[in-house]
Amino acid sequence: MVRSGEEPKPAGRATDGTGPARLRERFLQGEQVDAGVRTSILNSWQRCRSLGLSPDTSDLPYREDFDPGGRIVRAAVPVLDRLQDAFSGSQVNISVADANGTVLLRRFGDPAMARSLPAIQRVPGFVFAEQVAGTNGIGLALAERQLIRVYGAEHFAERSQGSACVAMPVRDPLSGRIEGVLCFGYPRGFEQPALSAAIRRAAENIERRLLGQSSAHERALLRTYLATGGEGGLHHGVALDALADVVHPREQAILREKAAELISRGQRAAVEVTLPDGRRVTLVSRPMASASGVRGFAIEAVLPGTAVGEALVLPHQAEELPDLAAFSTAPRLARPPITLPSGHLAAAFGSTVTPGGDRGSTEAGGTVPADGGRGGDRGPTGIDGTATADGGTVTVDGGGGAADGGRTSADGGRGATDGGRSATDDGRGPVGGGGAADDRAGSPFPARGLVMVGEPHVGAYALAARRRLELLSEASARIGTTLDVRRTAEELAETAVPRLADFVTIDLPDAVLRGEESADPLADLRRTVLHGVREGLPFTPPGKRIDFGPTAPQLRCLARGEAVLEPDLKAAAGWLAQDPEHTARLLDHVHSLIAVPLLARGVVLGIASFYRTGSSFGDDDRSLAQELATRAALSIDNARRYTHERTMVLALQRRLLPHGLPDQDAVEVAHRYLPAESDVGGDWYDVIPLSGARIGLLVGDVVGHGMLSAATMGRLRTAARSFAELDFSPDEVLTHLDNLVGRLDREDPDGKGAGVIGATCLYAVYDPTAQRCLMARAGHPPPALVHPDGTVSYPDLPAGPPLGLGGLPFDAVEIDVPEGSQLVLYTDGLIEDRHRDVDVVLEQLRVALAHPERAPEDTCQAVLDTVAPAHPHDDIALLVARVHALDPGRIAAWELPADPALVGEVRASALRRLSDWGLDETAFAAELILSELITNAVRHGTGPIRVRLLYGRTLICEVSDASNTAPHLRRAASTDEGGRGLFLVAQLSQSWGTRYLPEGKVIWAECGLDAA
């Protein structure tokens, strides 16, 4: 049994009790005491004060009805006798108290102490529970449920200031319950380090004797079982341990588990168990009582297909008992065959019963007496109940019948018992002494083997232990299935209810829910989960802030870093004091509490509280709750860390995406970005204003997820925007991006740094003056084009390789896009899903887009509602653009040969058009810009020369020629006669640049409409 270590003393504490004296006085005067006193002592002082105890009270309750010969006393007497000899002549007094703090035994190293000590220190029967005696060894050991030392002034009562003690709880090794407390008291100057080791050994000896009491009961039951068989000869057959070729060890474990369950139920039954290989074995539960009055059950297995002549081989546990050898050679009496009626469960194996002892007989429709034909009234049965044979239905144990209240039948009826079939005889018990047979005389009797004997409560402990292991195994599978903090907390509660607790509350700091570490967990604690067997109890509802009082078990569990058990909340002063009105309402519904801190990797994540309504929690339950909470805390911390990282990546991702859309007249745009549920990827979109009133639409997807993908997405988006603003065509932009991705990979060939596995991209350029769109893609899904009449098509674009592969060119395709059409660009997260066919999804997208009257915002929402997966595994970027055409009345164009004399005519025509548009204030700047650009084209370019004015949000002046030579802005010296033309253009325009055509170039300048 794992024991908690005693709490270390603070450095410098005097063993004479003077250390805490001053702090105790300060505490009693109401001052705050935070340091210098051990946590367990300070908690006990606080509980004593909340109970209204007075330190100068000397009287203690005395109980005359204590049991001087109880179980703990019988186990402790020999141990205390040895301790008395060991401490002979010293001032040590030794006491044993029960689980309520009542002293049952006392021993003294010096017999003279019995005459000099007051009655409460030498006479059994006084109660030293903390709630009546204040801080003391016995009471504090019961409250803290571990090894405790109390020194001098650490005692709450004045009467104990001159003494010290060490106390240790004593537990039942089977149930784990505290049966009592062993305490050594001594003068405070007698302190010896060896006392801790001595009390541990003594407590372990008492616990071994407690276990020996249960073992003695089991041996007595086994003797009774063998003696019963010995009266008429042992049952023919073999035991399970000898059937290595017949019953696999794994199958034996299944049978023993079912046997322990039968013993724990304390009922007569015959249960048919189906083994993994399909064979069926009947387990018969047989009540018995030993000569000393120990009542229990023997579980026998009836195995089909084994010959009669084999002797009973006892299980290993029986072979270890030296006084059982005589029973193995007991004479066997002849057993005449008895035939059971057809249809009886015991006849299912097709065998003839050969009962031992007195003969039994059957007739058609008759029955076989239990217990080897002796009758159910022969000897004690160990259970109380009645049996009736009414219409073939047998009721055993007050109506229980087969285990779990199943019905049993003597004429073929069968009662279900936990997945098996059970049957009894004519009301006197299972077919224990006989066996199984049908009406075919002479067939061999199935083998019988003893599986287990024991008392019902021992079987219950074994069953409870197995169920705890099953719960831990289930917790491993159920807790932490997601990376969501709140859901993980809910999984802990759902796992614990109802197998461990009736209600579970989990309180987490707001910071943890956000994925952060909480600087002060108690300051922002919030009820996160409330789960129980029913609703309507007055617990604080989820979402509300939680404030625990200073003595509350939840606060104490955080201070100690381990689970705190309150077996009876009505006696838990610290819990009652935190909110008397609220706790009083809860006491009508809950009885016991375990508060467990959620700690992982040194981080406080919250508090889990487990409540029971009827029975009390024990130390095994506390250990189980601690284990569940520890596992859940690790999962919650993983979810918290994931949430923190995902929040950071998502913030970076959103920061790198466009924050707003540019002002332009070419398209009306709406967009959506939906991150994946599991992780954030590298999807992006962009809307880029270009020269000539054109607009660039861009979507892309970086392979992978996480911070690296988000950072790489930012680099590619920035590069793509830069390439686009240089007026490269879509295929050239993709070529430059492909080179960039390849260069990034070459810089980090191992992929451990900033390297990129790959990316996909789609880039489209729409020209509102021609209503045409030029687009190219690199391994990206094609766009959808929604025509004004509602038809939806997917333009046939060359797929192109994903970015980063290199070596293959990208092809651009130009298509007509009528005014009012919608271009829909998206990433593969919208259409690709492991549970859906891409062609089916594209058809769904076609149907969702077939509404040209919708605004782009409505189209985005409709696509996400009808096409996007419910739980996306990849990011989704969606861009919807409704195209507009530039009014032809706002476009003016001229074409002229390379003749300087014609520059003035074009300039004059342009001024007239500007006047018609009402742009007289802009005419001066536009005239100078046109004059300079046309003159440069005539002097340095190649004809023909074209001039175009575009009137939109701004005035765009364009001059094109057939030469590929581009002008450059330079700083002219004071003595230069030329070289200032482009400088004037740059000063008079908002922006200017060069756009290359398949043949020639375009020099453009954009003027604000308020330019003078």
Side-chain angles (χ1 to χ4, degrees):
M1 182 176 296
V2 178
R3 302 184 183 277
S4 302
E6 62 178 306
E7 190 174 4
K9 294 187 296 179
R13 176 177 298 280
T15 57
D16 60 356
T18 59
R22 184 176 66 258
L23 295 173
R24 176 177 175 276
E25 294 303 319
R26 287 175 51 194
F27 175 83
L28 294 177
Q29 293 173 8
E31 297 182 25
Q32 186 70 24
V33 177
D34 296 324
V37 180
R38 289 180 292 154
T39 302
S40 60
I41 300 297
L42 183 57
N43 289 339
S44 180
W45 287 355
Q46 291 171 341
R47 292 193 295 267
C48 293
R49 183 164 60 185
S50 64
L51 290 167
L53 299 180
S54 174
D56 56 1
T57 302
S58 59
D59 294 334
L60 290 179
Y62 179 78
R63 294 184 55 185
E64 296 182 351
D65 58 345
F66 72 92
D67 186 2
R71 185 165 179 250
I72 183 68
V73 172
R74 296 196 306 271
V77 165
V79 178
L80 262 63
D81 289 342
R82 290 195 296 271
L83 287 173
Q84 186 175 19
D85 293 338
F87 291 110
S88 177
S90 70
Q91 295 297 306
V92 175
N93 68 85
I94 309 153
S95 58
V96 170
D98 62 16
N100 297 316
T102 303
V103 174
L104 306 176
L105 292 172
R106 285 199 177 275
R107 295 286 191 275
F108 304 97
D110 183 358
M113 295 175 61
R115 297 188 297 269
S116 59
L117 294 176
I120 60 173
Q121 296 184 19
R122 58 182 174 84
V123 178
F126 285 95
V127 181
F128 282 82
E130 186 186 66
Q131 57 265 32
V132 294
T135 306
N136 70 90
I138 293 175
L140 193 53
L142 288 173
E144 297 291 324
R145 312 179 77 82
Q146 62 180 343
L147 176 64
I148 286 294
R149 287 178 176 270
V150 184
Y151 306 87
E154 289 182 333
H155 289 89
F156 188 77
E158 299 285 353
R159 64 175 178 272
S160 303
Q161 299 297 295
S163 62
C165 63
V166 56
M168 180 82 182
V170 177
R171 290 179 170 85
D172 184 333
L174 285 175
S175 67
R177 291 198 307 260
I178 292 179
E179 293 288 335
V181 176
L182 176 63
C183 181
F184 295 168
Y186 47 88
R188 61 189 184 188
F190 184 76
E191 174 65 26
Q192 294 182 4
L195 288 177
S196 295
I199 199 169
R200 285 184 187 277
R201 289 195 301 270
E204 290 172 356
N205 288 334
I206 297 176
E207 290 175 353
R208 280 197 294 269
R209 291 184 59 81
L210 288 173
L211 182 61
Q213 292 178 7
S214 298
S215 300
H217 291 175
E218 183 176 332
R219 287 195 296 270
L221 291 172
L222 184 58
R223 291 190 189 97
T224 301
Y225 173 83
L226 296 173
T228 302
E231 292 176 6
L234 285 171
H235 301 299
H236 290 297
V238 293
L240 292 180
D241 288 353
L243 297 177
D245 297 332
V246 179
V247 181
H248 190 273
R250 181 165 56 93
E251 297 170 339
Q252 296 183 34
I254 294 174
L255 295 177
R256 289 194 178 99
E257 177 183 357
K258 181 62 68 175
E261 184 176 346
L262 287 175
I263 291 176
S264 70
R265 290 176 176 174
Q267 293 178 328
R268 293 173 178 264
V271 179
E272 189 175 88
V273 180
T274 302
L275 299 178
D277 60 1
R279 290 183 299 167
R280 294 177 177 177
V281 175
T282 300
L283 292 183
V284 179
S285 174
R286 180 181 178 189
M288 61 178 55
S290 69
S292 60
V294 179
R295 299 190 175 192
F297 282 79
I299 308 300
E300 298 171 320
V302 180
L303 304 177
T306 304
V308 174
E310 303 180 24
L312 173 66
V313 179
L314 297 177
H316 292 320
Q317 62 180 8
E319 293 170 355
E320 296 172 358
L321 302 178
D323 54 348
L324 299 178
F327 295 112
S328 62
T329 58
R332 302 181 180 90
L333 301 183
R335 303 186 183 191
I338 295 180
T339 302
L340 291 175
S342 177
H344 195 286
L345 172 63
F349 298 101
S351 303
T352 301
V353 177
T354 309
D358 298 338
R359 290 189 179 185
S361 61
T362 60
E363 299 175 354
T367 60
V368 179
D371 298 327
R374 297 175 181 83
D377 55 350
R378 180 78 175 268
T381 63
I383 58 174
D384 296 327
T386 59
T388 61
D390 184 8
T393 300
V394 179
T395 304
V396 183
D397 294 336
D404 279 346
R407 299 179 62 221
T408 59
S409 175
D411 59 353
R414 291 167 181 167
T417 307
D418 199 13
R421 295 182 297 172
S422 61
T424 58
D425 55 60
D426 61 342
R428 300 173 184 175
V431 190
D438 61 9
D439 52 359
R440 292 173 296 173
S443 59
F445 176 77
R448 301 183 65 94
L450 176 63
V451 180
M452 188 178 295
V453 294
E455 297 175 278
H457 71 275
V458 176
Y461 297 151
L463 191 61
R466 177 172 292 276
R467 287 176 176 170
R468 289 189 182 99
L469 291 175
E470 292 173 350
L471 181 58
L472 287 176
S473 176
E474 181 180 340
S476 299
R478 291 186 60 179
I479 299 176
T481 59
T482 67
L483 287 172
D484 180 80
V485 173
R486 193 182 304 273
R487 179 57 194 151
T488 303
E490 291 172 353
E491 289 170 345
L492 168 60
E494 292 168 359
T495 302
V497 174
R499 297 171 66 178
L500 173 62
D502 296 314
F503 296 91
V504 175
T505 63
I506 300 178
D507 308 312
L508 304 178
D510 286 333
V512 172
L513 294 173
R514 296 192 302 267
E516 305 168 3
E517 291 187 15
S518 179
D520 185 2
L522 296 179
D524 61 346
L525 206 59
R526 190 175 298 275
R527 177 61 45 84
T528 305
V529 175
L530 169 58
H531 184 67
V533 294
R534 63 179 184 274
E535 299 179 354
L537 270 66
F539 286 103
T540 302
K544 297 291 185 179
R545 294 292 296 272
I546 299 293
D547 294 316
F548 292 112
T551 59
Q554 288 83 356
L555 213 61
R556 285 159 39 209
C557 80
L558 278 184
R560 294 168 52 173
E562 61 182 21
V564 170
L565 168 63
E566 291 289 357
D568 185 1
L569 285 176
K570 293 181 179 179
W575 185 77
L576 295 171
Q578 60 177 331
D579 186 352
E581 182 179 353
H582 176 67
T583 53
R585 295 197 307 270
L586 271 180
L587 277 178
D588 295 334
H589 306 279
V590 296
H591 173 70
S592 188
L593 163 69
I594 299 175
V596 190
L598 297 174
L599 301 173
R601 305 179 180 98
V603 178
V604 177
L605 302 172
I607 301 171
S609 301
F610 301 84
Y611 294 88
R612 275 187 184 171
T613 56
S615 60
S616 296
F617 285 115
D619 287 286
D620 288 343
D621 299 315
R622 178 177 62 174
S623 300
L624 179 59
Q626 180 80 61
E627 179 66 22
L628 290 177
T630 299
R631 298 188 182 194
L634 289 173
S635 297
I636 290 175
D637 191 50
N638 290 337
R640 179 193 65 82
R641 289 167 177 255
Y642 167 77
T643 301
H644 179 67
E645 180 178 345
R646 186 174 189 273
T647 301
M648 291 177 58
V649 175
L650 189 57
L652 174 63
Q653 174 90 340
R654 296 194 182 280
R655 187 68 180 173
L656 296 174
L657 289 173
H659 290 184
L661 297 177
D663 295 332
Q664 43 79 38
D665 295 322
V667 292
E668 178 187 354
V669 179
H671 56 85
R672 293 288 190 276
Y673 171 72
L674 186 65
E677 281 191 352
S678 59
D679 206 347
V680 179
D683 292 15
W684 86 90
Y685 60 88
D686 209 345
V687 180
I688 308 169
L690 301 175
S691 63
R694 300 171 306 144
I695 196 76
L697 304 174
L698 184 69
V699 291
D701 182 5
V702 176
V703 175
H705 295 85
M707 185 75 74
L708 175 61
S709 295
T712 304
M713 177 274 293
R715 300 172 72 178
L716 293 183
R717 175 178 172 256
T718 301
R721 189 178 186 93
S722 299
F723 296 145
E725 289 178 344
L726 291 174
D727 275 321
F728 291 143
S729 64
D731 54 324
E732 291 178 311
V733 170
L734 295 182
T735 299
H736 287 295
L737 287 177
D738 181 62
N739 293 333
L740 173 62
V741 173
R743 186 164 58 252
L744 292 177
D745 279 332
R746 288 191 297 272
E747 290 174 358
D748 184 26
D750 295 333
K752 298 179 180 179
V756 184
I757 298 176
T760 64
C761 186
L762 169 64
Y763 181 38
V765 177
Y766 172 69
D767 186 352
T769 63
Q771 301 179 41
R772 294 182 66 79
C773 184
L774 183 65
M775 58 183 71
R777 63 185 179 125
H780 202 83
L785 176 60
V786 184
H787 297 270
D789 61 358
T791 60
V792 180
S793 64
Y794 297 99
D796 186 13
L797 302 180
L803 301 176
L805 295 183
L808 297 176
F810 299 96
D811 297 325
V813 173
E814 190 171 30
I815 61 174
D816 291 323
V817 183
E819 183 179 9
S821 301
Q822 289 186 358
L823 276 171
V824 181
L825 286 70
Y826 51 88
T827 56
D828 57 1
L830 178 67
I831 61 172
E832 293 183 3
D833 184 76
R834 67 187 69 176
H835 304 297
R836 303 187 299 172
D837 183 80
V838 173
D839 293 334
V840 174
V841 177
L842 288 175
E843 185 60 32
Q844 293 176 349
L845 179 60
R846 187 193 303 272
V847 173
L849 294 176
H851 298 275
E853 74 282 356
R854 286 180 181 153
E857 284 288 343
D858 297 333
T859 300
C860 279
Q861 194 58 46
V863 169
L864 292 183
D865 291 343
T866 60
V867 180
H871 304 283
H873 296 282
D874 195 6
D875 291 16
I876 297 175
L878 178 64
L879 192 65
V880 178
R882 171 175 286 168
V883 302
H884 300 292
L886 188 61
D887 185 357
R890 294 195 171 197
I891 302 174
W894 299 271
E895 184 173 335
L896 66 155
D899 184 356
L902 299 176
V903 174
E905 296 179 8
V906 175
R907 186 169 60 238
S909 298
L911 288 176
R912 287 192 297 271
R913 182 57 66 90
L914 291 176
S915 179
D916 294 341
W917 288 343
L919 301 178
D920 296 326
E921 295 182 357
T922 312
F924 176 74
E927 181 182 7
L928 290 178
I929 291 172
L930 284 174
S931 178
E932 179 62 30
L933 294 181
I934 296 173
T935 301
N936 281 345
V938 170
R939 289 182 178 179
H940 307 291
T942 304
I945 297 171
R946 296 179 178 86
V947 179
R948 188 169 70 160
L949 296 179
L950 303 176
Y951 172 30
R953 293 177 180 269
T954 60
L955 178 65
I956 300 173
C957 305
E958 295 182 346
V959 177
S960 62
D961 66 84
S963 171
N964 290 326
T965 303
H968 296 280
L969 180 65
R970 66 184 179 89
R971 182 181 298 274
S974 58
T975 57
D976 291 343
E977 295 183 0
R980 296 178 178 84
L982 286 181
F983 178 76
L984 290 175
V985 171
Q987 294 299 312
L988 293 172
S989 63
Q990 292 181 348
S991 60
W992 74 279
T994 302
R995 179 171 75 251
Y996 289 93
L997 302 175
E999 295 181 359
K1001 64 181 180 299
V1002 176
I1003 309 298
W1004 59 269
E1006 186 174 342
C1007 299
L1009 298 183
D1010 57 350

